[in-house]
Amino acid sequence: MSAQERLADALYGAGWGTVRKLPEPVAARLGRTVADLAWKQRGKGVLRLENNYARVVPDAGPDRLAELSRAGMRSYLRYWMESFRLPAWSAERIADGLDVKDLHHLTDGMAAGKGVVLALPHLANWDLAGAWVTTRLGIPFTTVAERLKPETLYDRFVAYREGLGMEVLPHSGGSAFGTLARRLRDGGLVCLVADRDLSSSGVEVGFFGETARMPAGPALLAQQTGARLLPVTLWYDGPVMRGKVHPPVEVPGSGTRPEKTSVMTQALADAFASGIADHPEDWHMLQRLWVRDLDPAAAPEKDQKGTS
């Protein structure tokens, strides 16, 4: 384990061990302070966030983008402060923390008995949304997590999410898809963060006027199992978080499997884009996403110098 990995593991461990014990107003102030410090340093993540927001709000000038990135960092640190404290929240606090519009798309899908896939972008706090589903609705679900380094850090995230009632599978290893398909065939719920491809088999989609790659998994699972595929978007609204369950993404009646997957993944991207455009500051995308940015030869010179 490298020194950097040991430091990351120690910091996250301190977050779950210490921040969870802080009073909520203190944790919120701490999050804003850390966010503002990170924003003022203008590091790689902040510059990447601004670069991404420039696609979402194309008419924004430098001042507006700086304002958005500051709000975005505050939203991002709010996510972390809430996540560190979620294991200590009461069921009532979790239930009161989220208000969902058009929830019937999910409940009707579960009642149909064919399983449901919820697909979300990196908006607001998806962990809180998951805890709300297991606590308020009483519906367990299965999800997938990126295998982080060091292994002890990955284990912390798995334990954290399992403690909130989720079944967590590793993204790598090749067996996750089969397990997810079995859960859906049994009428279960699968939740996947699906706006950034972590594999080499992503589907190219139009996203805010440029080409991006998003994972094929949600669409393939819906095709293979007959499960209902539902996009979900989230946003912060003062002290609470709000969400919207979008109408089902239908499987096209004709075409090859890759063609159907492309159409369905584009529909997910369009739903994600609508939520992100309405609340760009709550989109926590501090990584490269668009194909033009992922290809160093095609990236602007400034970006090649370290806006990752």
Side-chain angles (χ1 to χ4, degrees):
M1 185 189 303
S2 69
Q4 185 176 3
E5 290 174 345
R6 286 196 298 271
L7 176 61
D9 185 49
L11 289 174
Y12 282 107
W16 274 300
T18 303
V19 174
R20 68 183 293 178
K21 299 176 184 177
L22 296 176
E24 193 158 339
V26 175
R29 285 196 300 272
L30 175 62
R32 288 193 297 271
T33 299
V34 173
D36 288 348
L37 287 172
W39 178 77
K40 289 176 181 177
Q41 290 177 356
R42 307 289 293 164
K44 292 182 179 181
V46 173
L47 295 177
R48 170 52 45 196
L49 191 64
E50 284 188 12
N51 188 294
N52 291 339
Y53 285 160
R55 270 63 172 256
V56 177
V57 190
D59 59 346
D63 290 344
R64 172 59 174 149
L65 287 176
E67 176 186 315
L68 270 176
S69 66
R70 183 179 188 183
M73 289 303 295
R74 285 188 169 192
S75 178
Y76 182 51
L77 264 295
R78 175 174 173 174
Y79 160 78
W80 279 113
M81 292 300 107
E82 288 178 346
S83 295
F84 287 143
R85 299 187 75 257
L86 260 177
W89 281 15
S90 66
E92 181 180 12
R93 175 67 182 88
I94 292 172
D96 291 342
L98 175 61
D99 179 64
V100 180
K101 180 181 179 182
D102 295 332
L103 184 63
H104 65 91
H105 291 306
L106 169 58
T107 54
D108 290 351
M110 294 302 296
K114 294 185 178 181
V116 172
V117 180
L118 295 181
L120 306 86
H122 286 80
L123 273 170
N125 192 334
W126 48 96
D127 284 328
L128 172 55
W132 187 87
V133 167
T134 60
T135 302
R136 175 68 184 273
L137 302 183
I139 302 175
F141 67 86
T142 305
T143 189
V144 173
E146 182 180 1
R147 189 175 284 282
L148 303 170
K149 292 183 179 181
E151 192 74 15
T152 51
L153 179 56
Y154 171 76
D155 291 341
R156 288 186 191 276
F157 272 93
V158 170
Y160 156 64
R161 290 183 171 131
E162 287 181 342
L164 298 175
M166 313 174 193
E167 179 187 21
V168 182
L169 308 175
H171 179 270
S172 59
S175 62
F177 187 91
T179 302
L180 295 174
R182 286 194 295 273
R183 299 292 183 269
L184 292 169
R185 290 193 184 97
D186 290 339
L189 176 64
V190 165
C191 299
L192 301 170
V193 179
D195 57 343
R196 177 169 171 254
D197 181 52
L198 297 176
S199 70
S200 58
S201 58
V203 178
E204 290 195 352
V205 295
F207 195 57
F208 292 104
E210 293 189 40
T211 301
R213 291 193 189 98
M214 294 188 181
L220 289 172
L221 284 167
Q223 291 177 61
Q224 185 164 315
T225 67
R228 180 178 295 196
L229 175 56
L230 299 173
V232 177
T233 52
L234 305 167
W235 66 95
Y236 285 125
D237 183 13
V240 302
M241 187 171 73
R242 302 195 187 278
K244 177 181 179 180
V245 183
H246 296 253
V249 173
E250 303 293 344
V251 178
S254 62
T256 64
R257 175 167 287 191
E259 289 170 343
K260 292 179 180 180
T261 301
S262 178
V263 170
M264 295 172 72
T265 306
Q266 182 63 63
L268 286 180
D270 292 343
F272 294 167
S274 70
I276 293 167
D278 288 341
H279 305 279
E281 69 279 3
D282 290 328
W283 189 41
H284 308 152
M285 186 55 65
L286 281 73
Q287 297 83 23
R288 298 172 187 266
L289 179 72
W290 281 272
V291 171
R292 185 164 65 92
D293 293 341
L294 293 167
D295 179 3
E301 181 180 354
K302 177 182 176 182
D303 196 51
Q304 292 184 42
K305 291 180 180 179
T307 56
S308 60

